[in-house]
Amino acid sequence: QVHLVESGGGLVQAGGSLRLSCAASGRTFSNYAMAWFRQAPGKDREFVARINWSGGSTYYADSVEGRFTISRNNAKTALYLQMNSLKPEDTAIYYCAASENYYSDYGAQYDYWGQGTQVTVSS
């Protein structure tokens, strides 16, 4: 079992920055590929970014490529998402997720999820 808790969300103006954190506890954090997903009101959950077990590989959705950076610190059992040049369309609840067996864009392949943190970008 892995317990995930997100933090760092809030209200920011367009063009601003936020850094999300995801604290993990439970089983060995480095055994899990990690990802960020988001869900805007009235929309389906969508993939944002993923990072492999060691942190040596990352991948981003086209909508955030070049603006967001995913990283992890296995010693601190933490996952991060640095979000720059934020846009109103980035407004959503952001979730971190852990997968023991997949390094994937598909939410169904993630075993554990946090409760989410709200990000609101005003225009």
Side-chain angles (χ1 to χ4, degrees):
Q1 186 81 7
V2 175
H3 185 55
L4 303 172
V5 179
E6 301 95 337
S7 62
L11 174 64
V12 63
Q13 288 188 332
S17 298
L18 281 175
R19 187 190 194 213
L20 304 185
S21 298
C22 173
S25 61
R27 300 181 68 180
T28 304
F29 181 66
S30 58
N31 287 348
Y32 294 85
M34 300 295 296
W36 289 95
F37 291 81
R38 67 187 181 186
Q39 187 166 22
K43 295 188 177 181
D44 292 336
R45 181 180 63 197
E46 66 172 353
F47 165 77
V48 174
R50 55 180 161 94
I51 188 166
N52 74 342
W53 297 263
S54 68
S57 174
T58 59
Y59 185 77
Y60 299 89
D62 289 344
S63 59
V64 307
E65 176 79 52
R67 299 188 298 122
F68 290 11
T69 302
I70 188 171
S71 62
R72 68 189 295 164
N73 186 323
N74 286 344
K76 294 185 177 181
T77 65
L79 175 74
Y80 306 101
L81 185 68
Q82 178 66 44
M83 305 187 295
N84 298 329
S85 302
L86 282 161
K87 304 175 181 180
E89 51 263 44
D90 294 319
T91 295
I93 300 173
Y94 283 71
Y95 300 90
C96 64
S99 176
E100 190 169 14
N101 298 308
Y102 297 96
Y103 177 48
S104 164
D105 300 353
Y106 299 103
Q109 293 179 331
Y110 284 79
D111 306 298
Y112 303 102
W113 294 79
Q115 84 290 346
T117 186
Q118 176 71 49
V119 172
T120 303
V121 184
S122 62
S123 56

